[in-house]
Amino acid sequence: MNDDRRPAGAFKEELTPEQLLKVIFEFTAKIATADRLESVLILMADMGREMIVADRCAVWLIDEERRELFTVVAHGGGEIRIPYGSGLVGTAISEDQSIIIDDAYEDPRHNSDNDKRTGYRTKAIMTIPFRNNEGRVIGAYQAVNKLTESGVFSDKDMEYLSLAASYSGKSLEAFMLREEIVETQREIIFSMGEIGESRSKETGSHVRRVAQYSYWLALGLGMSEREAALLRDASPMHDIGKVAIPDAILHKPGALTDEEFDQIKGHTLIGHQLLRHSKRELLRAASIVALEHHEKWDGSGYPQRLKGEEIHIYGRITAVADVFDALGSARAYKQAWELDRILALFEAERGRHFDPRVVDSLIAQLPRILEIRDQEAEV
Ligand code: C2E
Ligand code: SIN
Ligand code: SIN
Ligand code: SIN
Ligand code: FE
Ligand code: FE
């Protein structure tokens, strides 16, 4: 018997099918209610380790922004990061292939730095990439050292870990989408807070109506539910740049001087500046809306005098929603308009201020839009 092998009594047995099912059921239940990414990664790693009787197991994820792979280890180590593409995990992920190795030290792709630091002896390794719902590889399972007598991972282990991996890909994606929403809301609240308290008076119910109008206009144009919902959540931020405009101008009862109006026009660029740094889909959409909601179909709008389809469809839709609502509302400088007068303006401006298709969508969706106007009326 080899000196570096343990006495026979210390070896573990493979799980019976009953034990295996028990492990899967117990862990999937825990994973479904975990509330932190860290806990999800650790639970998944523990599940994989128990299923295949490995000594250690880790779930690695890709950090696209930093071009790194990272994992969280259960017992004390915290987060570990390695460059994208490095080591066996990196190879498995970048080449989208499962790898089984009986002795890591005989494989040049293995990075033994960690062993040198900790004194641990990595021998058998199995690495399996996993995918999100669209089939894109988003991470990998890595199991280290098999605790049964054979000491190596088998095809059976590969099948089991692949099962865990396919489950993990799906639940991780669901978890990260949940995180994304929470994180986005935090970001919005933060940027709103940062830009101060001075806000234009109409903001509250005006933006709620504009959100709903944009959604129905978008659906009327044949946009997908998902994208219409994205625009619905982004369009409330169209006038966020107004927070930087002095109240004395914004709430001026009468007509504006040219200089004052130029200053107000700046709310498009200011809003764009505030939102554009984010990589998040929602805030990117919002930054486009903020920038382009005062462009006009005939090229006479501001700030860039874009024309026709040069104007992002989000800008063209929000323009119709915004003006429809602004005309129907009283402002410091004007009375609310009657519906007939509003519709006459849209007719006259169809193909001038507004994209004709969006005006047609407004007419088609009018019953629903009037319903929203009643529901979301100013109190
Ligand atoms: P807002 O009040 O939210 O109006 C948004 C857009 O709705 C306006 O963009 C304009 O296209 C349309 N709109 C609103 N009220 C009227 C109206 O009485 N007649 C017509 N034909 N269209 C109207 P616009 O013109 O680029 O104005 C941007 C913002 O500038 C306005 O946002 C408002 O905050 C401010 N503003 C515009 N005109 C005046 C004004 O005469 N006095 C004051 N105090 N502010 C004004
Ligand atoms: C590797 O995949 O080679 C690096 C991680 C490890 O030490 O197992
Ligand atoms: C969100 O839906 O994530 C943000 C809510 C909003 O500001 O519309
Ligand atoms: C962006 O910079 O985020 C897009 C602005 C544009 O569409 O012009
Ligand atoms: Fe505006
Ligand atoms: Fe507005």
Side-chain angles (χ1 to χ4, degrees):
M1 194 186 264
N2 236 323
D3 276 352
D4 68 336
R5 293 181 61 180
R6 308 168 193 216
F11 294 129
K12 291 193 174 175
E13 299 295 324
E14 299 284 1
L15 300 194
T16 64
E18 290 75 22
Q19 289 172 321
L20 186 66
L21 278 179
K22 191 160 170 277
V23 166
I24 292 172
F25 283 133
E26 280 178 7
F27 276 101
T28 50
K30 282 189 207 160
I31 289 166
T33 58
D35 62 350
R36 284 164 41 223
L37 182 61
E38 240 178 82
S39 334
V40 176
L41 292 178
I42 290 172
L43 283 167
M44 285 177 173
D46 287 349
M47 175 170 82
R49 183 181 60 175
E50 295 207 12
M51 283 172 77
I52 60 171
V53 198
D55 188 32
R56 296 180 172 186
C57 190
V59 171
W60 293 82
L61 288 179
I62 303 174
D63 181 339
E64 304 272 6
E65 233 167 90
R66 293 168 62 171
R67 304 281 304 155
E68 286 175 342
L69 306 174
F70 70 97
T71 186
V72 178
V73 294
H75 306 294
E79 192 179 88
I80 302 173
R81 290 181 166 269
I82 61 175
Y84 184 89
S86 77
L88 285 165
V89 209
T91 309
I93 288 176
S94 56
E95 291 173 13
D96 188 6
Q97 58 167 7
S98 300
I99 299 173
I100 293 187
I101 284 175
D102 294 345
D103 190 348
Y105 286 17
E106 285 165 16
D107 194 297
R109 293 168 297 185
H110 174 65
N111 176 350
S112 61
D113 291 353
N114 207 40
D115 279 8
K116 288 192 188 106
R117 224 177 26 249
T118 60
Y120 186 77
R121 170 65 161 96
T122 300
K123 205 160 173 9
I125 289 194
M126 178 165 62
T127 302
I128 295 181
F130 56 82
R131 308 160 181 287
N132 65 3
N133 291 321
E134 285 94 56
R136 193 162 49 83
V137 173
I138 59 168
Y141 255 103
Q142 183 165 51
V144 176
N145 288 354
K146 177 87 176 173
L147 297 180
T148 62
E149 187 164 12
S150 81
V152 296
F153 293 110
S154 65
D155 289 347
K156 197 94 211 151
D157 292 328
M158 171 93 90
E159 277 171 33
Y160 289 161
L161 203 61
S162 298
L163 187 74
S166 76
Y167 167 74
S168 298
K170 290 190 181 81
S171 30
L172 273 171
E173 170 147 78
F175 185 85
M176 289 191 290
L177 288 175
R178 226 154 68 213
E179 286 274 279
E180 167 102 352
I181 290 167
V182 174
E183 192 50 41
T184 301
Q185 286 166 341
R186 267 191 221 116
E187 252 187 66
I188 292 168
I189 291 161
F190 179 74
S191 36
M192 305 256 296
E194 198 177 38
I195 51 194
E197 268 105 66
S198 107
R199 323 229 353 235
S200 75
K201 276 183 184 152
E202 71 266 19
T203 301
S205 51
H206 169 62
V207 300
R208 278 201 299 279
R209 290 189 299 263
V210 169
Q212 294 296 327
Y213 298 163
S214 302
Y215 176 73
W216 290 104
L217 291 173
L219 288 182
L221 288 163
M223 213 175 255
S224 70
E225 213 297 312
R226 188 186 171 279
E227 198 175 12
L230 176 69
L231 179 59
R232 178 194 63 209
D233 294 338
S235 61
M237 289 178 265
H238 69 275
D239 273 341
I240 199 165
K242 278 188 182 172
V243 296
I245 311 294
D247 282 3
I249 299 177
L250 212 50
H251 301 150
K252 183 176 172 181
L256 301 169
T257 66
D258 286 351
E259 293 85 70
E260 287 168 337
F261 195 40
D262 281 345
Q263 220 176 316
I264 285 192
K265 284 176 177 171
H267 79 279
T268 52
L269 292 161
I270 294 165
H272 179 67
Q273 294 288 333
L274 288 170
L275 296 164
R276 77 186 163 143
H277 299 294
S278 179
K279 285 209 162 56
R280 293 178 193 287
E281 197 181 23
L282 175 58
L283 297 193
R284 294 203 67 81
S287 85
I288 293 170
V289 168
L291 184 63
E292 302 190 7
H293 73 282
H294 286 293
E295 298 290 354
K296 295 186 178 180
W297 184 255
D298 64 8
S300 67
Y302 61 87
Q304 302 184 95
R305 302 181 67 91
L306 300 176
K307 195 172 175 173
E309 294 186 353
E310 286 168 13
I311 310 163
H312 196 288
I313 186 65
Y314 298 168
R316 282 179 269 146
I317 291 173
T318 305
V320 168
D322 183 34
V323 175
F324 181 84
D325 197 67
L327 293 176
S329 314
R331 292 280 198 257
Y333 62 96
K334 62 175 262 292
Q335 299 279 302
W337 289 20
E338 297 295 330
L339 182 60
D340 286 352
R341 191 174 167 205
I342 297 174
L343 294 179
L345 177 131
F346 276 97
E347 178 119 344
E349 295 291 335
R350 186 180 179 281
R352 299 153 78 99
H353 185 161
F354 307 110
D355 178 350
R357 287 179 58 238
V358 182
V359 174
D360 295 345
S361 181
L362 175 72
I363 304 305
Q365 302 283 10
L366 200 57
R368 217 184 293 266
I369 280 173
L370 293 175
E371 217 174 278
I372 294 161
R373 188 164 83 156
D374 286 346
Q375 279 165 13
E376 295 285 351
E378 229 98 10
V379 276

